[in-house]
Amino acid sequence: MPTTTTTWTRHHILSLADFTPDEYDMVLQNASRFQKDVLSRGTKKVAVLQGQVVTNLFFEPSTRTRSSFELAAKRLSADILNFSTATSSITKGETILDTAKTYLAMGTNIMVIRHREAGVPHAIAEEMDRLNARVSVLNAGDGQHEHPSQALLDLFTICTLLDSDNPHLRLLKDKKIAIVGDILHSRVARSNIWSLVTSGAQVHLAAPPTLLPQLFTSYPQEICSNLFVHWELEPALKNADFVMTLRIQKERMKEHLLPSLREYYQLFGITRSKLRMCKPNVKVLHPGPVNRGVEISSDLMDDPEFSLISNQVTSGVAVRMALLYLIGTTKFM
């Protein structure tokens, strides 16, 4: 087992930008333990968060992330409150912070927050700290900023494929990983960049210039010397070990950034023929939801020889159990 030199001290998980290798390994080790000892066995509950209240504050639609967090909390025996914008007092003019304080008054211990605007989970975490509320906040996706738990489950999916008994960060050192698609609008890409460059992987971004602006070349080189940007697909895929393809987020596009989805698929859509540029045992990931025939061919998406997409969904529950456990059992000073 990899050793860690620190104990878990974070009360909030808002970004991966300052995560340490030890923290990544703690998440991977705990997720692996929950996967093997809880989710894969007949008794699918442990009482580690019994008596705690986890509130899912999702201000925008979600299928996988919300359901995954809810199931993870149930597996840890927590009580769960689910917020829905459509049936909330937000429609009557209540502020987001007042909504969070309402759930605080109900005894919430952990808030899992998703919002279309960047920075909302951070603002709520700051308010909880200001109130000395002893409430942990977990960012479930904020605008075009970050999606930490998705990147961590992607990391877990890859590492468990490489070593199912002992998933750890060092397994990815010098692996070539291509991230392809709508990187401009992707919070998943931003979180994955932080986790993968920390692992020592060679991270190659690929997309049309309109979806991969110059700002992605401005990451500090002393931090991201293993990050590469391409406006063509071939150099990113050549000898790649893994390919992460991202959804074209049409709902976030305020300008006409692509000539057509058909042309995008021809140039950047992942197909069997394009995977011939990669290593023979290449695997493909996608955070979902998938636009079949746009980001990836439908037949490739459903082929277990190449696709890890269903593995990612399964990994999500174990990783989110690990995150809720880590912040839910860390004492406030």
Side-chain angles (χ1 to χ4, degrees), residues 26-45:
M26 290 180 73
V27 173
L28 294 172
Q29 291 166 21
N30 280 280
S32 180
R33 180 168 61 89
F34 283 127
Q35 182 71 55
K36 294 172 184 176
D37 296 346
V38 181
L39 299 177
S40 297
R41 296 192 175 184
T43 302
K44 295 186 181 292
K45 275 195 174 186

Side-chain angles (χ1 to χ4, degrees), residues 197-198 200-204 219-228:
V197 297
T198 302
Q202 302 297 309
V203 183
H204 291 253
Y219 277 82
Q221 282 303 297
E222 65 273 15
I223 300 174
C224 297
S225 59
N226 49 336
L227 179 67
F228 306 90

Side-chain angles (χ1 to χ4, degrees), residues 7 27 33 50 61 67 91 135 140 171 180 188 195 212 236 245 267 288:
T7 56
V27 173
R33 180 168 61 89
Q50 189 169 20
S67 298
T91 60
V135 170
L171 292 167
V180 181
V188 174
S195 63
L212 181 54
T245 180
L267 295 175

